[in-house]
Amino acid sequence: MEQALRLRTGVSKQEIREKIWDYMEAQNIADFPRPVHHRIPNFKGSYEACQNIRQLKAYSRIQEVKVDPDKPLEGVRLIVLQGVKNYSVPIGLDSRVLVDLIVVGSVAVSEKGWRIGKGEGYADMEYAMMVSMGAVREETPVVTIVHDCQVIDIPEELLGDHDLTVDCILTPSRVIVTSCTRPKPRGIIWSMITEEMMERIPILKNLHFQEKKAGKDIALQKEHLAHLKTSHRQAPLQNTGQMASVRPADVACSSHQDTEHGTSKGEPSSVTTVYVGNIPQHARVSDMKRTLRNYNAVPLRLNWQGAQGRAFLDYKDQATAEGAISSLKGLSFSGNTLWVNLAKKQK
């Protein structure tokens, strides 16, 4: 696997995911459901890896455990359910439950404890919500279960404050204690939460209300970006490779225009435009923005022409544009496979 997965400088999270998924399929390591792409991959030997949870010190004293619903974690769910009277019981925000152990799925993980999920951020968000509820503490161990080939070196610069790290990795052949010292999320980062996410995850509304009463900064992404737009118009553009991180580039992405492509005042003279086609007419610009964030392809500006089934993305230079093309090409978006290329004027 080390030879099959050589990471270039500046590699993105999505490139790591694709390499892992491709390798598992090519080597027939993947198990049902297949293909494993865009999933927490199930793998042959997952049941054996799950059995290793019995070796953990935390396992002998757990009373409350949270296990994600991913297929490769099925063995752990069966183990912890033995003798359990209450499971999958909904709990309210005022519950005094304290989780003793958390088990999450991963696409890739490093021996240092850095973790990459499938890109939707649910494990990170659920952990942050449990922190806000008081259901987990910094010392609550987080475990992930993966195939040996999913344990790779991950550049720390890809991690954001919202990313969940792990304390222990279980594989079919090893139990790896990461001794990770990087802080886990200390709660919900509201500046990364959209109104759409609030509608989709009702518990967020309740947590938002509670934290507002407590006097915390609860500005949502739209409000936060509006503040950035007025107070940091000249801030330098950066691309750290973090999923859904809030950057000045997101401010530019938040205002779409019904024009063709081009540059505006203050933009670099070397701006490179990417054409995205085959967008379904029912697709929404908010879906495109979320996809661009999740695939580390946030542009300086998004020109949305959904009625014509296309969009134009402006990037600061050709290298950044080509990286975005690599991340987005062949991606299924709202049921259609996207067409992604450099806009004609740069070809």
Side-chain angles (χ1 to χ4, degrees):
M1 182 60 181
E2 293 179 358
Q3 291 184 348
L5 191 55
R6 292 178 178 174
L7 302 182
R8 64 171 177 80
T9 302
V11 68
S12 69
K13 285 182 177 180
Q14 186 59 24
E15 287 174 309
I16 293 175
R17 293 184 188 104
E18 294 292 345
K19 286 181 179 291
I20 292 288
W21 289 326
D22 290 347
Y23 182 86
M24 295 183 76
E25 286 289 347
Q27 299 299 316
N28 202 29
I29 295 169
D31 209 346
F32 174 85
R34 294 178 70 172
V36 294
H37 292 73
H38 309 294
R39 307 178 190 272
I40 297 296
N42 193 20
F43 57 91
K44 294 175 181 176
S46 63
Y47 184 79
E48 289 77 6
C50 289
Q51 302 306 305
N52 288 332
I53 198 166
R54 302 178 192 273
Q55 299 184 37
L56 304 183
K57 290 181 181 180
Y59 175 76
S60 61
R61 57 176 182 268
I62 59 171
Q63 295 185 12
E64 305 284 349
V65 59
K66 179 187 183 300
V67 185
D68 283 357
D70 305 307
K71 183 65 174 177
L73 309 183
E74 193 171 77
V76 168
R77 291 194 292 274
L78 292 174
I79 291 171
V80 299
L81 284 174
Q82 295 176 10
V84 173
K85 294 181 180 179
N86 297 317
Y87 60 92
S88 296
V89 177
I91 58 174
L93 295 180
D94 57 349
S95 172
R96 299 301 176 187
V97 65
L98 183 61
V99 177
D100 304 301
L101 180 68
I102 297 172
V103 185
V104 298
S106 301
V107 173
V109 65
S110 78
E111 293 191 14
K112 293 181 179 180
W114 316 153
R115 171 189 173 273
I116 294 177
K118 63 182 177 181
E120 296 181 351
Y122 286 117
D124 308 311
M125 176 64 69
E126 289 175 357
Y127 181 89
M129 288 192 294
M130 287 191 292
V131 171
S132 297
M133 292 170 57
V136 297
R137 299 171 179 168
E138 176 66 26
E139 62 269 21
T140 304
V142 178
V143 177
T144 194
I145 298 172
V146 296
H147 190 273
D148 289 279
C149 75
Q150 294 172 259
V151 183
I152 63 168
D153 289 332
I154 296 173
E156 186 174 5
E157 58 264 26
L158 291 183
L159 303 186
D161 292 340
H162 64 285
D163 283 316
L164 180 62
T165 57
V166 301
D167 303 293
C168 190
I169 304 167
L170 307 183
T171 78
S173 65
R174 294 192 290 169
V175 174
I176 304 169
V177 178
T178 68
S179 301
C180 183
T181 57
R182 183 183 177 91
K184 293 181 174 65
R186 294 187 172 91
I188 298 171
I189 303 175
W190 293 107
S191 61
M192 296 174 62
I193 304 299
T194 65
E195 294 177 357
E196 183 182 4
M197 292 169 68
M198 293 273 282
E199 292 298 325
R200 201 166 63 243
I201 309 174
I203 193 173
L204 282 175
K205 286 187 176 181
N206 296 329
L207 287 170
H208 189 257
F209 178 72
Q210 287 194 2
E211 296 202 358
K212 181 178 181 180
K213 287 199 303 182
K216 296 183 180 180
D217 181 2
I218 47 81
L220 299 182
Q221 187 180 94
K222 184 176 180 180
E223 300 164 310
H224 183 71
L225 292 178
H227 172 72
L228 286 178
K229 190 173 182 180
T230 56
S231 61
H232 298 290
R233 288 183 184 272
Q234 304 304 319
L237 294 170
Q238 298 178 355
N239 187 352
T240 62
Q242 298 174 3
M243 182 197 74
S245 59
V246 178
R247 302 177 298 237
D250 293 344
V251 177
C253 184
S254 68
S255 60
H256 59 282
Q257 302 177 16
D258 195 25
T259 62
E260 192 151 283
H261 45 69
T263 61
S264 62
K265 293 180 180 180
E267 289 184 352
S269 59
S270 60
V271 162
T272 301
T273 303
V274 171
Y275 164 78
V276 181
N278 202 34
I279 298 173
Q281 290 192 353
H282 65 270
R284 296 175 297 179
V285 66
S286 59
D287 295 328
M288 176 60 74
K289 291 177 186 176
R290 183 172 61 253
T291 298
L292 294 174
R293 287 194 298 269
N294 289 347
Y295 285 82
N296 303 302
V298 176
L300 298 175
R301 185 175 65 181
L302 164 62
N303 291 340
W304 178 256
Q305 299 181 14
Q308 290 78 40
R310 65 191 182 192
F312 293 94
L313 316 178
D314 289 344
Y315 293 94
K316 62 181 181 180
D317 52 39
Q318 185 160 338
T320 305
E322 289 176 348
I325 291 171
S326 176
S327 296
L328 299 173
K329 203 156 193 173
L331 180 69
S332 178
F333 178 75
S334 296
N336 283 16
T337 299
L338 292 179
W339 304 336
V340 187
N341 292 288
L342 288 177
K344 288 183 179 181
K345 68 175 183 178
Q346 281 113 191
K347 287 186 177 180

